[in-house]
């Protein structure tokens, strides 16, 4: 009887510790959003040596606050450097899944963010700036698109580049709430 009780206790402790480990494991997310600001070239960290774009940085910050683990470019950089197929700004769905799978990501966010300028604000030197962002949230394990998302942002600024950046950040802030909702539904 003591042996059965001891074995049961050991199994129970093992089960509890494995459950707590599973709860501590954060959902890993890779972000691959190319960005083009007003009067600038299209940029993507996996194509050149730049860091996360304004859009990606905003999304990453909010996801980290919600308990998600973001796979930084430094984690993916070696794989990207060794495989030229990953070094395109408009990375395809299958290539993004393949890249995310190589670093054990649970989800990958693939998208495009573009800022553009509008007209002058009457009686001022200010210009209207707009940003549009489209993204797909993909479950890496099964390759299925979990959500198709879009967002926009706008601002007014004297400097087009700064105005474009502000509009991109607003669009990303709008998008991240939708991303978190989609991620939480698919946990």
């Amino acid at each position: 009887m003591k042996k059965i009780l001891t074995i049961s206790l050991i199994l129970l402790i093992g089960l509890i510790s494995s459950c707590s480990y599973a709860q501590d494991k954060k959902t890993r997310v890779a972000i691959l959003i190319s960005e083009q600001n007003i009067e600038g070239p299209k940029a993507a960290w996996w194509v050149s040596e730049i860091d996360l774009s304004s859009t990606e940085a905003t999304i990453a910050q909010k996801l980290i606050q919600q308990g998600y683990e973001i796979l930084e470019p430094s984690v993916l950089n070696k794989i990207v450097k060794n495989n030229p197929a990953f070094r395109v700004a408009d990375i395809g769905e299958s290539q993004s899944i393949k890249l995310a799978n190589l670093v054990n990501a649970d989800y990958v966010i693939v998208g495009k963010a573009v800022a553009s300028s509008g007209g002058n604000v009457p009686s001022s030197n200010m210009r209207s700036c707009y940003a549009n962002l489209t993204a797909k949230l993909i479950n890496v394990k099964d390759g299925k698109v979990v959500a198709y998302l879009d967002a926009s942002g706008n601002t007014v600024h004297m400097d087009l580049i700064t105005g474009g950046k502000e509009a991109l950040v607003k669009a990303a802030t709008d998008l991240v709430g939708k991303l978190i909702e989609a991620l939480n539904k698919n946990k």
Side-chain angles (χ1 to χ4, degrees), residues 19-27:
C19 288
S20 67
Y21 171 76
Q23 289 174 345
D24 291 343
K25 184 181 180 285
K26 292 183 177 182
T27 301

Side-chain angles (χ1 to χ4, degrees), residues 55-156:
T55 306
E56 291 169 317
T58 301
I59 292 169
Q61 178 186 17
K62 302 290 185 190
L63 289 176
I64 289 168
Q65 289 172 355
Q66 292 294 314
Y68 292 94
E69 180 182 346
I70 303 303
L71 297 170
E72 298 291 325
S74 60
V75 173
L76 299 162
N77 232 358
K78 283 183 184 176
I79 296 167
V80 170
K81 283 183 179 180
N82 292 331
N83 192 334
F86 296 134
R87 295 184 68 85
V88 293
D90 293 327
I91 191 167
E93 191 174 310
S94 63
Q95 288 299 91
S96 63
I97 293 168
K98 187 175 182 181
L99 177 58
N101 203 17
L102 289 171
V103 292
N104 298 317
D106 298 305
Y107 294 93
V108 62
I109 302 165
V110 182
K112 296 178 188 176
V114 179
S116 56
S117 63
N120 286 342
V121 175
S123 302
S124 77
N125 292 332
M126 307 289 265
R127 295 276 305 267
S128 298
C129 302
Y130 306 94
N132 291 300
L133 174 61
T134 57
K136 288 189 261 189
L137 176 63
I138 303 170
N139 184 325
V140 175
K141 190 180 294 182
D142 61 15
K144 292 185 179 176
V145 176
V146 173
Y148 292 93
L149 307 162
D150 66 345
S152 60
N154 58 56
T155 189
V156 176

